[in-house]
Amino acid sequence: MVSIRILTLGLIIVSLAALISSSSSETDAVKLSLVGFMKKLVGPDFPTQNNNILGWDMATDPCRNQWHGVRCDVSGSIVGIFLSGFRFSGALDAELLCSAESLFLLKLQNNTIRGPIPEEIGQCGNLAILDLSDNRFVGPIPNEMGSLTNLTTLDLSGNRLSGPIPETLGDLTSLLILDLQNNQLTGSIPESITRPTYRASDQPLRFFRAENNRLTGPIPEFNFEMLAKFNVSNNDLRGPIPDGAAATGFFGADCFMGNPGLCGEPLPYSCPQPPVQSPVPSGSPGRTELGLVMMMVSSILGVSLVSFSFRFVY
């Protein structure tokens, strides 16, 4: 009897093991895409062993075999990829990456990843945290990032990005942290991202850094009372600093220095006053009335000259 029970228990254990081993956290198609993503990301100089890059290969499972940097939820879906500080020098293939539809967090900071940020990044619809800081990304910030409506954190600092800040980032109504410092961005700061007033369902921006770029134009009216961090120093911004920035008392002159065209508190120099126009003296004809008088005089003189010329000729 004992032997039968042991045999039965053994069969149950073997059956459960077979069931577990036969199930996969992600489909083979997703695994194939992610292995391809990793090969493109690491670049040609990254050391590999038997075509295995940090455990990412088709023979293993990303969750059960714990691919390096991969985090999964209880259902076995990939929700996070942490690959920071590996000196990867390849390119970001977002189309392959976004095959992991449950991806919630992507951190690739402190590598040397090159090339543009692909517009296909907008296909990673569940992303809430995207950190591509301290790499060598070039080119514009793609408009398609405005499709990532679940984003709460977007960090693109420390790259070589150029062009304007997309208006579409204003569609990210859950965004709390936007870090664009140390790039080569140009154009004005779009008012769409400031959200000075917002719907009850929107989240107020709490962190905005864009120092050390080439931004121009005025500083729009942010909701400064809700901002915990704000810095736009070392750009080419112009005009008065919004009153709300100084009123909070949180942001000192160092947050605005390096913009020769900016003025007003908390900078030590005030804005020039607009010239005062002299009022028209009371009782004197205004410009319109004076103009009419001149036209009438000109008309009278013109008629007189024509009449005189006619008489002289005939």
Side-chain angles (χ1 to χ4, degrees):
M1 181 68 68
V2 175
S3 299
I4 294 176
R5 289 180 178 176
I6 293 175
L7 179 60
T8 303
L9 181 60
L11 289 172
I12 292 173
I13 292 174
V14 170
S15 299
L16 287 173
L19 179 62
I20 293 172
S21 63
S22 64
S23 63
S24 177
S25 60
E26 295 283 4
T27 66
D28 285 344
V30 172
K31 290 187 346 185
L32 183 63
S33 293
L34 292 178
V35 169
F37 156 77
M38 177 61 95
K39 288 180 178 178
K40 291 186 177 183
L41 187 70
V42 299
D45 301 326
F46 193 81
T48 62
Q49 184 176 6
N50 298 325
N51 206 31
N52 182 307
I53 304 171
L54 299 177
W56 292 47
D57 62 40
M58 290 298 295
T60 59
D61 184 83
C63 295
R64 291 198 311 275
N65 298 110
Q66 296 182 342
W67 287 5
H68 191 92
V70 170
R71 301 293 182 271
C72 302
D73 62 13
V74 293
S75 68
S77 297
I78 296 174
V79 294
I81 295 178
F82 300 78
L83 293 172
S84 305
F86 282 98
R87 299 182 182 177
F88 294 155
S89 60
L92 171 61
D93 190 319
E95 186 173 9
L96 293 176
L97 170 70
C98 296
S99 64
E101 296 180 354
S102 298
L103 188 63
F104 176 85
L105 182 151
L106 177 65
K107 294 180 75 69
L108 300 178
Q109 76 269 29
N110 196 24
N111 286 286
T112 54
I113 304 169
R114 305 168 188 270
I117 299 174
E119 61 186 28
E120 289 83 4
I121 194 68
Q123 298 175 12
C124 290
N126 279 322
L127 271 180
I129 299 174
L130 177 58
D131 189 346
L132 304 179
S133 61
D134 297 321
N135 281 283
R136 295 185 184 176
F137 287 108
V138 297
I141 301 172
N143 289 322
E144 287 75 10
M145 276 195 173
S147 301
L148 303 176
T149 53
N150 291 320
L151 269 187
T152 61
T153 300
L154 177 58
D155 191 346
L156 304 178
S157 62
N159 284 285
R160 301 172 183 178
L161 298 171
S162 58
I165 301 172
E167 290 276 355
T168 56
L169 295 188
D171 296 332
L172 305 179
T173 55
S174 297
L175 194 64
L176 300 175
I177 297 173
L178 179 57
D179 196 343
L180 305 173
Q181 62 178 306
N182 299 324
N183 279 287
Q184 300 169 15
L185 298 172
T186 57
S188 60
I189 301 172
E191 292 189 8
S192 62
I193 69 171
T194 64
R195 298 201 298 275
T197 58
Y198 47 92
R199 300 185 301 271
S201 59
D202 294 348
Q203 294 292 330
L205 196 65
R206 303 301 302 273
F207 184 109
F208 180 76
R209 295 189 66 169
E211 65 264 35
N212 302 318
N213 279 284
R214 301 172 184 174
L215 298 172
T216 57
I219 299 175
E221 190 68 55
F222 283 81
N223 190 348
F224 287 100
E225 290 185 355
M226 300 302 298
L227 281 167
K229 186 70 177 180
F230 181 86
N231 196 320
V232 292
S233 59
N234 300 318
N235 282 281
D236 194 19
L237 298 168
R238 297 181 177 275
I241 295 172
D243 293 337
T248 63
F250 297 147
F251 311 117
D254 58 314
C255 299
F256 303 93
M257 296 294 288
N259 293 279
L262 282 183
C263 58
E265 293 185 3
L267 292 176
Y269 30 88
S270 59
C271 296
Q273 296 296 322
V276 178
Q277 294 185 352
S278 300
V280 177
S282 177
S284 64
R287 290 186 177 181
T288 304
E289 295 176 353
L290 184 60
L292 290 173
V293 170
M294 294 298 295
M295 288 176 63
M296 291 174 64
V297 171
S298 299
S299 299
I300 294 170
L301 289 174
V303 171
S304 299
L305 287 173
V306 170
S307 177
F308 176 79
S309 300
F310 182 83
R311 291 176 182 177
F312 179 80
V313 173
Y314 293 98

